[in-house]
Amino acid sequence: APSFRVRHPLGYVPVCARVGTVQQCRSYLSVMFALSQSSFSASRSKASFGKGNVRHHHQHQHQQQHASSSRYTAGAHSSGFRHSPVVQAATTTAQPSVQLNTAQNSQPRKIRAIEFAKTVKGGAINVRVNVKPVNADNALITIEVADANGEDTSNLAAHWAITKEGSDDWQVPPENITLPDGSVPFGDGIATRTPLPFSIVVPTNAVGDEDEIASLVAIVVKPGGGDEEWMHADDGVPFVAPLGAHMQGSTLIKKFARMERDGDMNNFKRYCTANETVGEIIAAADEDAGMAKGGAAALFTWIRMAETRALPLYEGHNYQTKDMVHVSEVLACKVALAATRSDETGRLFRLLMGNLPRGGGGGDDIRMGILNVMRDNGIKEGHRPGIECKFIQQWHQKLHSSTTPDDVAICEAYLHFLRGSGDWNDFWWHLNEYGNLTQEDLSKMKVGWKNQDGITGPAVHLPHVHDAFVWFRGVLRQTHSGIQLDRANEFAHWVMDEGLQHEINDLLANRNEWWVPGKIVELRSRLQHSWRGQEDGYAARDALHLDIALERHFRGMIEAMDVDAMSADDVADTLRLALESGALASSGEAMCLASGLWSRINAEKNWGDARWLSVAASGLDFVALALEEEMDSLARLVSPASVEIGRAGKADESYIVNFGEECVRGHPLFVCSRLIQALQRSVRQSAGIGPWTVVGAGVNGDGTATGVPVNQLLDTLQGPAATAAVQELADGSPVVLISETLDGLEDIPPGVAAVLSKSGVDLLSHVALRARQSGALLATCSDDQYWDALVTSLTATPSPVRVTVDISTGTVDVSEGDAVAAATSSSSAKAAAGAVSLSPVDTSISSWAVAPAEYAPGVVGGKSSNLATLAQLASEISSITGVDVRVPQSIAMPFGSLERTLAMPENADASSALDEALTALDAATDNDGTLSALANAQSAVLQLQMPDGLAAEVAASAQTAGLTSLASASSDDWWPAVRQVWASKWNLRAHSSRVALGVAEADLQMAVLLMEVVPSDYAFVLHSRNPVNTDDESVLGEVVVGLGETLVGNHPGSAMRFTAAAPEQVIVAALPSKLEAMKMTESSVICRSDSNGEDLENFAGAGLYDSFMTNGVSTHTVNYANEPLLWDASFCTSLGGKLAGVAKTLEILLGAPQDIEGAVVGDVVYLLQARPQQL
């Protein structure tokens, strides 16, 4: 049949009109419809369909299985169908617009609203599909003609069925779905025919769970007796109305894994399924970004594993080469359009685009091309006589039924053989060296007619066919080599202006010159308009493939550089280019901000200026953190899919385990890693500082500790069994723990003399406080080489070692230790100096809420009492320092509130559950038992109902205290946070601490401080006496952008750190590099834990219990490119001096050194908390 061009949503595509009989179509359709696919090479098919003869949805055994239990039976009549007045009402009555997950719904939505349109008959008829939730119980699906363009649509019908979760097989709808008027069985026991327009109501309880409806699938037909017309959608995919969360990552992972597990898989089947899936993912992207991102990651993983040959490529049914060419083209165009999105879903589709062939070409050119070469050069083909060449005959059979990018490598290896002396081993060498294919790989290509051996050869040496196969290689590249640089440039010429064409041609002619990386970044920036915002899939495909090809050439040139031999200036310039290259398409928000920051730092570089070196050090830290975050995010997204899909497809286990890392190493931004490390070394060397930072100076305060080195993560030594576990590590001797990572929330178990880590740690993080309280040395290293050398040195001997970290130079020294010194270095030595005595509690308080004037010992804990004291001192501090000092408004729920709530009749079940959990906790003998009991205790508290009168008392007390945001808030805003604070009494950290200190569960009481959240520009922590060196009476402070959670919560990166012997003697020791900041978006209240086990004379207890904000907080990446806290030296010293003056004044007024938390809003300093400093 002649080919012609028709318009579809992706542009113009070649279409072949196919006319045939039922028997001719049956085998062809069995493949296409098995995956709910229509013919990708036909816009429509005409056939003489006898009643009940066409079985196009399943293979024969599947048909019989479903027919026996089908809702339909052979010969069923229309009178056997039920008709629905609900459908009639739904199609004639305007329906309200219902948003998903709204408060008006009585239950969470299962059906997602969606509308799309596709064309049939070569674009002549536009058909629209709409899925709309009607109410909490039902959704309406409509299929109708949107635009007929003069075509007769009076007799059109939908040929449809449903699919279920985990399956693509067409099935009869369940009994609880009433069929529309006019519906008749098709006669195969599966499909239904319904006249258009078609509307059907689907109950939400039929959607979304296993073995329930996943989608409605339809094809438009025009019945015509024995010669009806099948109007397949022009994009080759049936009309699929998805119900539920099809694009959700976990759902797609299971679907892809099932397909691999069923076997007989090849890329044609994968591409058919992917074509349908891309649309579903994009349809969900604007509604639920997280769901779409997970779906895109699953699809990328599946195709990536196939393209790297970890999954089979040549199993299952054969298909015609032109079908593979077309389905590849449609998929590449769809993915290219999806990749134009600027979110993470778009970036995942861009990565997927780098794994797809271009598709297209001449349809049958590959299959007919090899035949013509054989015929023109006298090579035997079938029964046609000629030269016997086993290799060409085998390859011809493969190309007739299956073509993949492997064929380009095979052709190039064959050309190498032809140019040689005729040694067949030359073919295998070239194939392995340049195509990464082996003899075993080709032997598995058992596709085509009577091809049982795959491709084995040998080939006859026929030099005269060389030029013919050079031509044929071009045909193969037309379809498969979209990302080969020269071919990509040829294909993309039509989407570029002449100036850009000329400059890219010039670049390719000089592709190995030193200036090429910079030129690539410039040209790629100009190429962006050719694919970003494109509506033409063909233009987006060709432009994006060229962009990816240029990006890969850029990466190859950077990787070929000898970074160690380059000057620091050249490395800095190269990093700028690498970051700018990533920012053009591959980077998320954090890396784009990192690019802008480093561009400014690089423009102002001065290796002899101490201030610039500090800025550069922080900037590199931020860039490294941004890179780690984006690459870790990618690995987290793809790893679950790789495990389930890979094992289902019997991929090599080592490949599965390393798949996430392989994706990271293949990412365009990976080249930044070694550039960052090289520059960090150069900055430290120029500044004369080492990579070590001391957070806790050890039991003697001199940065030393002695113990047996043990390489183990600190977070594995937590909980009640931690002390015994530490003793077992070194037969009771103190331990120098080498913990590569820290999350900042760990405790330091007794027996640990030192913790050395690669993770940065804030001075007021939980682990830092525990280290200083216990007397353990805590130091961190920022350089991989130094760290690796230390680990090698320490783990070489089981004998005690003495570790000394020089606080001023940032260097470490390791020498032999002795048992006596080790005994005095243990973290238990300082901890044993004083026992913990909990604050007494007054249980006679009957109020649910108290104002600051009523904060008193025994009524509330140290946080609330200290806050009231700060409020009384604020004006005096302001008078002394000249700084506007304020304290936020607050109220508190006193001690005993939890116990009174538990005693209420309405909470009897929760109280009983808590008692059972605590009994189990006392009886627990291992970590699993402890964790289970703690989880049950927290769950019981989170179920507590609010007692009558509590909300009113809280509102009244808040109004009196001037806490208007709480007074006017609904209790639904703050009551969940109060329960979470109470439940934190039974988190693992708190419980382990109580066990270690011998504190009974009943003795620990929990008040709750409800405090106004200050919308801070900056947050700070101050130590009125330097905790790292207690002989130094200067103030040590840390400042971050935004709210203080990123500081006290030990979020990645450093704070601006300073010391000040006096307000006018500020020394900035480090500049900020925190990756994220938290900001207020609306007024909010924080519910803070306030137990009688915190802020004690010899035990701070900070960080054991949790605090929760009610609402109005967002997290964003910090833009340091113009941040005064990084760039403005006078701003830093002025701010540091102001805060130092406040800290020293407060120390004098309270008569002891203080740990202080606060916020800065404009010129105002807010004091949020103060407690006696643990020295």
Side-chain angles (χ1 to χ4, degrees):
S3 293
F4 56 94
R5 289 166 65 83
V6 300
R7 182 72 182 174
H8 73 71
L10 295 178
Y12 286 97
V13 296
V15 174
C16 176
R18 296 172 55 86
V19 180
T21 64
V22 172
Q23 290 75 19
Q24 290 170 324
C25 291
R26 181 178 298 162
S27 62
Y28 182 72
L29 290 172
S30 67
V31 177
M32 312 301 259
F33 286 104
L35 295 174
S36 300
Q37 306 298 320
S38 62
S39 171
F40 285 90
S41 61
S43 63
R44 58 193 176 98
S45 298
K46 292 183 178 179
S48 300
F49 289 100
K51 183 177 180 180
N53 286 339
V54 179
R55 299 181 175 182
H56 52 275
H57 310 294
H58 315 279
Q59 295 179 4
H60 183 67
Q61 62 269 30
H62 290 158
Q63 300 163 6
Q64 291 185 337
Q65 173 187 347
H66 289 291
S68 63
S69 59
S70 174
R71 172 176 173 174
Y72 302 149
T73 57
H77 300 287
S78 60
S79 59
F81 287 79
R82 301 181 306 281
H83 303 293
S84 171
V86 178
V87 173
Q88 297 172 355
T91 56
T92 58
T93 305
Q95 299 296 325
S97 175
V98 181
Q99 298 297 320
L100 301 185
N101 300 320
T102 62
Q104 289 77 16
N105 293 340
S106 60
Q107 63 185 39
R109 281 293 181 187
K110 287 186 176 181
I111 297 183
R112 179 169 52 87
I114 186 174
E115 180 174 288
F116 64 91
K118 297 201 290 187
T119 58
V120 300
K121 289 198 70 174
I125 300 175
N126 191 291
V127 179
R128 180 169 54 224
V129 177
N130 181 282
V131 181
K132 181 171 66 175
V134 176
N135 51 43
D137 301 314
N138 297 285
L140 178 68
I141 301 175
T142 302
I143 303 178
E144 60 187 349
V145 174
D147 188 355
N149 290 315
E151 293 279 339
D152 179 15
T153 62
S154 60
N155 198 29
L156 296 185
H159 179 92
W160 66 277
I162 59 97
T163 65
K164 293 188 176 182
E165 293 289 347
S167 173
D168 291 301
D169 293 339
W170 286 35
Q171 301 183 39
V172 177
E175 295 289 336
N176 63 342
I177 292 183
T178 302
L179 301 174
D181 287 340
S183 296
V184 296
F186 176 60
D188 60 356
I190 299 168
T192 302
R193 286 288 176 86
T194 302
L196 293 183
F198 162 107
S199 292
I200 187 169
V201 171
V202 179
T204 56
N205 61 10
V207 175
D209 297 327
E210 188 174 354
D211 200 37
E212 293 189 346
I213 297 178
S215 63
L216 185 148
V217 187
I219 298 171
V220 177
V221 298
K222 188 170 186 176
D227 189 25
E228 63 184 7
E229 186 175 4
W230 288 62
M231 299 181 179
H232 301 299
D234 293 332
D235 68 352
V237 182
F239 293 89
V240 179
L243 303 169
H246 270 180
M247 72 305 304
Q248 188 170 355
S250 59
T251 304
L252 288 179
I253 290 170
K254 288 181 172 59
K255 176 178 180 177
F256 300 155
R258 177 187 56 77
M259 293 177 66
E260 296 296 335
R261 195 176 295 111
D262 289 346
D264 291 340
M265 281 301 296
N266 53 54
N267 267 3
F268 180 69
K269 290 183 178 181
R270 294 186 186 100
Y271 286 6
C272 288
T273 301
N275 262 315
E276 176 183 321
T277 303
V278 171
E280 292 187 25
I281 294 171
I282 294 304
D286 293 329
E287 268 183 44
D288 191 329
M291 187 180 293
K293 179 173 64 177
L299 182 59
F300 163 73
T301 301
W302 191 36
I303 300 300
R304 172 72 177 173
M305 295 187 83
E307 294 303 321
T308 54
R309 306 190 188 96
L311 299 176
L313 295 180
Y314 300 104
E315 296 181 3
H317 300 287
N318 298 329
Y319 49 85
Q320 294 190 21
T321 298
K322 60 183 175 56
D323 295 324
M324 183 63 177
V325 167
H326 181 61
V327 74
S328 299
E329 181 177 52
V330 172
L331 181 59
C333 291
K334 284 187 174 183
V335 171
L337 289 175
T340 64
R341 298 180 61 89
S342 58
D343 57 9
E344 190 162 7
T345 297
R347 293 192 294 277
L348 286 164
F349 276 117
R350 177 186 169 82
L351 289 176
L352 173 58
M353 193 68 186
N355 291 273
L356 291 178
R358 179 176 182 269
D364 258 355
D365 284 356
I366 293 177
R367 183 175 68 91
M368 295 304 300
I370 186 70
L371 280 173
N372 290 333
V373 169
M374 294 168 71
R375 292 169 181 173
D376 292 347
N377 292 278
I379 300 171
K380 182 178 180 181
E381 174 255 322
H383 299 294
R384 188 187 300 271
I387 302 169
E388 292 270 1
C389 181
K390 186 176 182 180
F391 161 74
I392 291 182
Q393 289 173 341
Q394 291 172 330
W395 190 26
H396 158 244
Q397 287 299 322
K398 174 191 179 299
L399 291 169
H400 185 81
S401 302
S402 170
T403 182
T404 67
D406 289 345
D407 292 313
V408 177
I410 292 171
C411 189
E412 289 175 339
Y414 181 56
L415 287 170
H416 176 74
F417 162 76
L418 293 177
R419 288 190 288 266
S421 61
D423 185 349
W424 185 233
N425 289 323
D426 289 346
F427 172 86
W428 296 117
W429 173 85
H430 192 282
L431 190 70
N432 184 257
E433 184 75 11
Y434 296 99
N436 197 29
L437 286 165
T438 65
Q439 288 181 252
E440 182 182 1
D441 292 329
L442 265 63
S443 69
K444 294 178 181 178
M445 298 180 183
K446 299 176 181 180
V447 291
W449 184 65
K450 293 184 179 180
N451 185 7
Q452 303 302 317
D453 300 323
I455 299 176
T456 59
V460 178
H461 193 234
L462 305 171
H464 71 283
V465 303
H466 177 273
D467 291 347
F469 276 97
V470 169
W471 168 84
F472 187 61
R473 179 180 60 185
V475 173
L476 291 170
R477 284 177 172 176
Q478 178 82 6
T479 294
H480 296 304
S481 299
I483 307 181
Q484 195 276 333
L485 184 54
D486 294 282
R487 298 294 291 179
N489 183 42
E490 293 175 18
F491 294 142
H493 261 211
W494 70 283
V495 301
M496 297 183 286
D497 60 67
E498 291 185 4
L500 185 56
Q501 290 179 28
H502 173 77
E503 291 194 51
I504 292 180
N505 290 339
D506 181 65
L507 180 140
L508 297 187
N510 298 279
R511 67 187 68 195
N512 296 318
E513 295 296 326
W514 65 268
W515 47 265
V516 165
K519 191 65 176 179
I520 286 178
V521 174
E522 176 198 332
L523 295 177
R524 286 187 59 225
S525 67
R526 292 166 55 188
L527 183 63
Q528 298 295 295
H529 76 277
S530 297
W531 62 273
R532 285 203 180 277
Q534 267 287 355
E535 296 182 359
D536 186 326
Y538 292 97
R541 174 199 62 182
D542 289 344
L544 188 53
H545 266 163
L546 176 58
D547 186 61
I548 294 172
L550 287 168
E551 187 176 50
R552 289 184 176 180
H553 188 68
F554 173 91
R555 173 177 176 161
M557 295 196 72
I558 301 301
E559 289 179 334
M561 295 178 179
D562 184 355
V563 175
D564 292 334
M566 294 166 61
S567 70
D569 278 351
D570 287 343
V571 178
D573 289 336
T574 304
L575 177 61
R576 175 186 61 80
L577 287 175
L579 292 171
E580 289 178 0
S581 175
L584 289 173
S586 302
S587 297
E589 179 192 22
M591 284 304 292
C592 287
L593 291 175
S595 176
L597 173 61
W598 186 250
S599 290
R600 178 175 176 182
I601 293 172
N602 187 60
E604 300 181 17
K605 61 178 173 281
N606 182 351
W607 294 95
D609 180 66
R611 172 71 189 179
W612 181 86
L613 289 170
S614 295
V615 172
S618 292
L620 288 168
D621 192 21
F622 179 85
V623 173
L625 289 170
L627 180 63
E628 290 169 8
E629 172 59 28
E630 293 206 11
M631 295 301 98
D632 288 350
S633 175
L634 174 61
R636 286 193 300 267
L637 281 169
V638 302
S639 292
S642 69
V643 171
E644 190 161 349
I645 295 172
R647 288 175 179 168
K650 299 179 181 179
D652 184 83
E653 188 66 23
S654 62
Y655 177 87
I656 294 171
V657 170
N658 294 307
F659 181 78
E661 181 180 348
E662 186 265 338
C663 290
V664 168
R665 291 183 176 277
H667 194 280
L669 290 171
F670 185 74
V671 295
C672 296
S673 178
R674 65 188 186 124
L675 299 172
I676 294 168
Q677 290 182 339
L679 282 170
Q680 285 175 327
R681 288 193 297 271
S682 296
V683 168
R684 282 196 304 271
Q685 291 168 2
S686 297
I689 58 174
W692 286 90
T693 300
V694 176
V695 181
V699 69
N700 298 316
D702 58 359
T704 64
T706 302
V708 176
V710 175
N711 193 349
Q712 186 165 337
L713 295 179
L714 181 58
D715 68 4
T716 65
L717 300 172
Q718 303 297 296
T723 302
V726 171
Q727 290 177 346
E728 292 179 5
L729 291 176
D731 296 326
S733 297
V735 168
V736 172
L737 196 66
I738 308 165
S739 179
E740 182 167 353
T741 60
L742 296 171
D743 65 18
L745 297 176
E746 299 93 343
D747 282 308
I748 307 291
V752 173
V755 177
L756 308 177
S757 180
K758 276 176 60 179
S759 295
V761 174
D762 290 312
L763 289 175
L764 205 61
S765 62
H766 181 82
V767 70
L769 288 168
R770 290 296 171 266
R772 293 195 291 271
Q773 290 168 0
S774 66
L777 170 66
L778 175 59
T780 64
C781 180
S782 61
D783 186 278
D784 288 343
Q785 292 185 357
Y786 280 84
W787 173 260
D788 292 341
L790 178 76
V791 171
T792 301
S793 172
L794 288 178
T795 55
T797 173
S799 303
V801 296
R802 181 179 178 84
V803 177
T804 302
V805 182
D806 191 308
I807 298 171
S808 61
T809 64
T811 58
V812 67
D813 178 70
V814 178
S815 58
E816 292 185 7
D818 60 77
V820 175
T824 60
S825 291
S826 170
S827 62
S828 59
K830 186 174 180 180
V836 172
S837 177
L838 299 185
S839 301
V841 172
D842 182 356
T843 58
S844 64
I845 305 299
S846 59
S847 300
W848 287 114
V850 294
E854 302 169 274
Y855 295 173
V859 177
V860 293
K863 278 195 183 78
S864 300
S865 297
N866 292 344
L867 190 67
T869 300
L870 292 175
Q872 295 170 2
L873 295 176
S875 61
E876 187 174 358
I877 298 172
S878 296
S879 177
I880 295 172
T881 62
V883 178
D884 188 355
V885 176
R886 304 178 191 178
V887 174
Q889 303 297 334
S890 69
I891 64 169
M893 296 179 63
F895 290 135
S897 297
L898 170 58
E899 289 69 24
R900 290 171 60 199
T901 302
L902 285 164
M904 294 294 171
E906 59 268 32
N907 289 317
D909 290 344
S911 180
S912 177
L914 179 60
D915 290 340
E916 291 179 10
L918 296 182
T919 299
L921 185 62
D922 289 338
T925 58
D926 56 23
N927 279 339
D928 288 342
T930 297
L931 291 172
S932 176
L934 289 173
N936 290 335
Q938 291 185 308
S939 177
V941 174
L942 293 175
Q943 296 173 24
L944 291 174
Q945 299 180 42
M946 183 186 297
D948 291 339
L950 188 152
E953 276 199 49
V954 166
S957 183
Q959 188 68 42
T960 300
L963 187 52
T964 55
S965 59
L966 178 61
S968 60
S970 166
S971 59
D972 291 338
D973 292 336
W974 53 263
W975 175 244
V978 169
R979 290 183 300 188
Q980 287 176 297
V981 172
W982 283 340
S984 74
K985 175 179 176 179
W986 289 284
N987 69 52
L988 180 60
R989 297 190 310 276
H991 172 69
S992 301
S993 176
R994 292 195 296 273
V995 170
L997 297 171
V999 175
E1001 292 292 320
D1003 291 343
L1004 195 286
Q1005 296 286 311
M1006 183 72 74
V1008 180
L1009 174 63
L1010 291 86
M1011 187 178 78
E1012 171 192 6
V1013 178
V1014 177
S1016 55
D1017 300 324
Y1018 301 100
F1020 61 82
V1021 168
L1022 304 173
H1023 310 272
S1024 65
R1025 183 170 299 181
N1026 191 332
V1028 179
N1029 182 0
T1030 54
D1031 292 333
D1032 181 1
E1033 296 189 1
S1034 62
V1035 174
L1036 189 149
E1038 292 184 316
V1039 184
V1040 296
V1041 177
L1043 299 178
E1045 176 58 27
T1046 58
L1047 183 54
V1048 298
N1050 201 50
H1051 288 216
S1054 299
M1056 189 275 277
R1057 184 177 302 159
F1058 69 91
T1059 59
E1064 64 278 4
Q1065 298 177 16
V1066 174
I1067 299 174
V1068 176
L1071 292 173
S1073 63
K1074 290 285 186 184
L1075 186 64
E1076 294 178 333
M1078 298 176 71
K1079 289 284 189 179
M1080 294 288 301
T1081 58
E1082 59 181 295
S1083 61
S1084 181
V1085 171
I1086 183 169
C1087 297
R1088 306 185 68 180
S1089 62
D1090 192 24
S1091 76
N1092 63 333
E1094 299 175 77
D1095 299 344
L1096 306 177
E1097 183 177 351
N1098 59 351
F1099 183 71
L1104 288 178
Y1105 309 100
D1106 299 325
S1107 300
F1108 297 91
M1109 280 180 276
T1110 57
N1111 52 39
V1113 176
S1114 66
T1115 300
H1116 66 274
T1117 306
V1118 182
N1119 184 359
Y1120 284 113
N1122 296 295
E1123 174 53 55
L1125 199 63
L1126 177 66
W1127 291 97
D1128 192 334
S1130 62
F1131 175 80
C1132 292
T1133 55
S1134 175
L1135 179 60
K1138 180 188 298 185
L1139 297 179
V1142 171
K1144 276 303 179 184
T1145 301
L1146 190 57
E1147 177 182 311
I1148 293 170
L1149 293 175
L1150 294 175
Q1154 298 290 308
D1155 282 338
I1156 307 160
E1157 296 179 30
V1160 178
V1161 182
D1163 293 327
V1164 180
V1165 173
Y1166 281 86
L1167 299 179
L1168 308 181
Q1169 181 175 322
R1171 56 173 169 263
Q1173 187 174 340
Q1174 302 296 309
L1175 299 175

